[in-house]
Amino acid sequence: MKTVFSTEMVDLDRQAPNRNKRESKYFWDELYPLIAAGRFQSIEIPYEPKWDFGGRSGIPRTMRSIQMKFETPEGYTKHLAEMGITSVGCVHLDSALFCAGAPEMYLGALGHFAEEAIEFTKGLKCPVLTITTTPPVYAVKNLLKSREDFSEDLLIEKLAELITDINQKATDAGITLCVKNTYWGLFRGEGIFDFLEKLPDTVKLDVDTAHLAIAGVSPAEFVKKAGNRIGMVHFTDTAFEDNQEAYAQPLPEFPAKAATKVFRDIGDGNVEFTSIVTALKEVGYDGEICFNCRNSYDMYRSILRTRSYIDRTLVPAGYEE
Amino acid sequence: MANMKLSHMSHWKTVPYKQIDNFRDFYYEDKTNMAYYQDWDRILRYHKATGYDGIELAPWDMAEILGLFGTPEEYTAFAKERGIEVSGMFHGADDSQILEKHDEVLQAAKENIDLLERFGGKHLNMCPARNYCAAGPLSDDDLKVAAGVINEIGEYALAHGIQVGLHNEFFCAVNKENHRRFLEMTDPKSVFYCLDTAQIALMGDNLLDFYDTYADRICTFHLKDTASTGEPDEIRHGMDPEIVDDGWRWFWEPGEGILPLEELWKLVKKHDFKGWVTIEDDGAPDYLAAMALSSYYFNEVLGKIYR
């Protein structure tokens, strides 16, 4: 399996002391060698066009920012290599970024920026583009609330058509397209399997362990069921049990009735990664495993915690990098 | 009775919780200060504790605020319970220089005015056109088009109890070469000016002369300091100058930069200014510390001149 470390650990959306420097290029230039020092040579990049509109080109999460700071994707990968990062293992596009206005606008923006993300992924010679397919339940409800002519079922049909179209473009670019479900999305838990049936076989599944666990699904059993449809795996950890229907709340990552950090550093939650590794080996998966300490409170500790967990727990359990 | 009320521009990014009742448990999850920056209850209490009367909201936070509170009125009541008023909101009048976009620009502004009225705010601080790199240079005709729609926005705002204040930024298309002219092209009865002290110095204008000249148009302040003045065209007209690659800060808390703020306050006293003054500390590494530093300077240094 190929180990990837997600830069989605860098939280740009919530305030915290020293958060603002994350918008400057120097912050990222300091970060890459520290990721490499944790013996991670491959990274995941979330593709987030919203930073273009605020002129935040120091944040390396869009084609525009890469072009402004490095001229070309090749220039960026060369820069990364000089910092010890030899590949980009996954690009992630979250469709929730575009959930505003009318459903037609949402679908149009998703299609437009997915094409941009494909170019970005291709330019970085990255093998996988993964799309979080639906926005949160609450956001979808808001999107459709004044549209009696546009049901949730219709939205799902349109999404399936759009993902099929995006997949063709990704395939033409030599990229594997994956779809990812979240515990707050329309296809939570095993609901993603129904959606997969609407898509071509070449669209693969991205297994995100914490999202599955919170939705009440065993990630190991899910892996066995998904089998060779798996195209990407995200190892995320959590100790959260959703006994307050957080999945349907306005900000589902921040459960309103009892605050908690839903996504923990790898090894700090309850997800049984060793059994997931065993299940992945059983189904013959040998692709990327992306370790994601999403929205970390302490990024440098997250890098080291993840490396420590891999070395001390996963490798003895049979994980091979 | 004070002549001025102190507000703080909300640059806190997304505040994900309305109120954290399980604060101690949440703290023990990580045992760091992260728990202290995640709910509106505490952030509004920090405002009150550090001497602020109000908060200026950011339009880019609206989706989350309305998700958490349901309505603007609910947010305002929640803030009021903690001793804080909503003083105003920022608004970007993007493309206001494009005649074909007139209706769209007007409608977007009306929607934010309506929203701000429900929050109880009094100031819509508005940046005309876009950044220079996207919209500049502006011709006189462009400026006339922008002034026309902004006059209409100003009239609509006044009818709703709100003052539109033009807001200059050092990297915008309305810039050093035309911002005084642009202000004079707008209607003084309905369009006012939010004086951002650092931005005008960064543009290369004379802060004291500008205030003294246009004092009767200035309805509110964005008070902040800078250690940089008179930035050259290649910076002000460049791509994405606001966030600098090496972490250079354009903005500092009042008193931490080089602006003649005490001289300015003597003029503020001379012109008998009354109204909201908003501290803006974008770029600060720790907003709680920046709020406290700024409030101290406003009350203990400037306040000895005029408060």
Side-chain angles (χ1 to χ4, degrees), chain A residues 186-205:
Chain A
L186 296 184
F187 309 135
R188 63 197 305 265
E190 295 195 347
I192 191 75
F193 287 120
D194 291 338
F195 185 63
L196 270 183
E197 297 208 346
K198 300 175 189 293
L199 304 176
D201 290 345
T202 48
V203 177
K204 299 296 183 182
L205 189 57

Side-chain angles (χ1 to χ4, degrees), chain B residues 3-58:
Chain B
N3 295 301
M4 287 178 275
K5 292 203 281 189
L6 189 63
S7 185
H8 178 251
M9 174 77 192
S10 184
H11 279 292
W12 290 83
K13 302 296 169 189
T14 302
V15 178
Y17 291 101
K18 178 179 178 182
Q19 180 168 328
I20 295 174
D21 292 326
N22 60 326
F23 186 65
R24 294 192 302 277
D25 290 340
F26 190 39
Y27 167 79
Y28 281 126
E29 283 186 359
D30 191 62
K31 304 182 191 72
T32 69
N33 59 354
M34 289 299 293
Y36 287 73
Y37 297 93
Q38 304 217 26
D39 67 335
W40 279 110
D41 172 39
R42 283 176 180 76
I43 284 173
L44 289 165
R45 284 196 268 153
Y46 298 156
H47 280 68
K48 186 65 181 174
T50 49
Y52 292 82
D53 307 294
I55 185 168
E56 182 173 328
L57 298 176

Side-chain angles (χ1 to χ4, degrees), chain B residues 10-306:
Chain B
S10 184
H11 279 292
W12 290 83
K13 302 296 169 189
T14 302
V15 178
Y17 291 101
K18 178 179 178 182
Q19 180 168 328
I20 295 174
D21 292 326
N22 60 326
F23 186 65
R24 294 192 302 277
D25 290 340
F26 190 39
Y27 167 79
Y28 281 126
E29 283 186 359
D30 191 62
K31 304 182 191 72
T32 69
N33 59 354
M34 289 299 293
Y36 287 73
Y37 297 93
Q38 304 217 26
D39 67 335
W40 279 110
D41 172 39
R42 283 176 180 76
I43 284 173
L44 289 165
R45 284 196 268 153
Y46 298 156
H47 280 68
K48 186 65 181 174
T50 49
Y52 292 82
D53 307 294
I55 185 168
E56 182 173 328
L57 298 176
W60 47 85
D61 291 335
M62 279 306 129
E64 286 80 13
I65 287 177
L66 294 177
L68 291 177
F69 289 88
T71 64
E73 291 82 0
E74 179 67 23
Y75 178 91
T76 299
F78 187 85
K80 192 176 175 188
E81 285 170 11
R82 287 144 187 84
I84 297 296
E85 300 173 60
V86 174
S87 63
M89 187 166 76
F90 189 77
H91 174 72
D94 293 346
D95 297 334
S96 48
Q97 80 284 8
I98 301 172
L99 187 59
E100 294 73 21
K101 298 251 181 165
H102 170 276
D103 293 354
E104 188 182 318
V105 172
L106 182 59
Q107 183 57 31
K110 282 182 173 178
E111 285 173 10
N112 269 346
I113 290 164
D114 294 346
L115 189 62
L116 180 57
E117 185 180 21
R118 294 181 63 188
F119 276 107
K122 299 298 175 194
H123 294 283
L124 189 77
N125 297 320
M126 192 165 71
C127 187
R130 287 180 185 265
N131 291 1
Y132 191 97
C133 63
L138 298 178
S139 68
D140 277 359
D141 285 344
D142 293 332
L143 292 174
K144 279 179 196 163
V145 169
V149 71
I150 286 169
N151 285 342
E152 289 183 64
I153 294 168
E155 287 168 18
Y156 182 85
L158 271 187
H160 291 259
I162 289 166
Q163 287 182 310
V164 162
L166 294 173
H167 184 281
N168 51 286
E169 302 202 20
F170 75 93
F171 44 81
C172 282
V174 175
N175 209 300
K176 178 184 179 181
E177 55 274 16
N178 53 21
H179 80 112
R180 286 189 181 222
R181 191 150 40 96
F182 183 68
L183 174 58
E184 289 166 9
M185 291 166 78
T186 57
D187 185 348
K189 294 193 293 299
S190 58
V191 179
F192 304 89
Y193 198 89
C194 169
L195 177 52
D196 186 310
T197 50
Q199 298 275 12
I200 206 153
L202 281 158
M203 275 201 297
D205 205 338
N206 182 308
L207 173 63
L208 301 179
D209 179 70
F210 184 85
Y211 177 69
D212 211 19
T213 304
Y214 296 104
D216 59 340
R217 299 290 298 272
I218 289 164
C219 61
T220 188
F221 288 85
H222 274 182
L223 182 62
K224 56 191 181 198
D225 215 335
T226 181
S228 316
T229 58
E231 289 302 307
D233 288 358
E234 56 265 31
I235 298 288
R236 289 179 295 101
H237 299 176
M239 297 286 282
D240 299 359
E242 190 177 7
I243 307 298
V244 183
D245 282 353
D246 66 2
W248 176 264
R249 282 175 62 179
W250 297 120
F251 309 120
W252 291 87
E253 298 79 8
E256 303 298 335
I258 60 173
L259 292 183
L261 295 177
E262 292 180 58
E263 294 304 309
L264 174 68
W265 238 239
K266 289 171 188 168
L267 294 173
V268 170
K269 181 180 181 181
K270 172 185 143 187
H271 290 286
D272 196 27
F273 174 84
K274 290 182 172 56
W276 282 103
V277 173
T278 297
I279 298 293
E280 198 181 18
D281 44 21
D282 40 334
D286 183 336
Y287 285 142
L288 186 49
M291 284 171 66
L293 267 181
S294 302
S295 177
Y296 178 89
Y297 186 85
F298 179 77
N299 285 307
E300 302 300 326
V301 179
L302 299 183
K304 287 188 167 49
I305 299 166
Y306 184 63

Side-chain angles (χ1 to χ4, degrees), chain A residues 190-232:
Chain A
E190 295 195 347
I192 191 75
F193 287 120
D194 291 338
F195 185 63
L196 270 183
E197 297 208 346
K198 300 175 189 293
L199 304 176
D201 290 345
T202 48
V203 177
K204 299 296 183 182
L205 189 57
D206 181 347
V207 177
D208 190 307
T209 55
H211 277 289
L212 290 168
I214 295 166
V217 172
S218 158
E221 293 306 312
F222 185 91
V223 164
K224 290 174 192 169
K225 187 170 178 180
N228 63 9
R229 198 71 189 264
I230 300 172
M232 184 73 207

Side-chain angles (χ1 to χ4, degrees), chain A residues 86-139:
Chain A
T86 55
S87 69
V88 176
C90 183
V91 172
H92 173 215
L93 180 68
D94 185 350
S95 76
L97 291 171
F98 315 111
C99 189
E104 292 87 351
M105 286 170 60
Y106 159 67
L107 292 163
L110 175 57
H112 171 80
F113 287 110
E115 281 191 43
E116 206 176 90
I118 289 168
E119 284 304 304
F120 182 79
T121 308
K122 182 182 175 186
L124 297 176
K125 296 186 169 54
C126 170
V128 176
L129 171 64
T130 191
I131 296 182
T132 295
T133 321
T134 84
V137 168
Y138 182 90

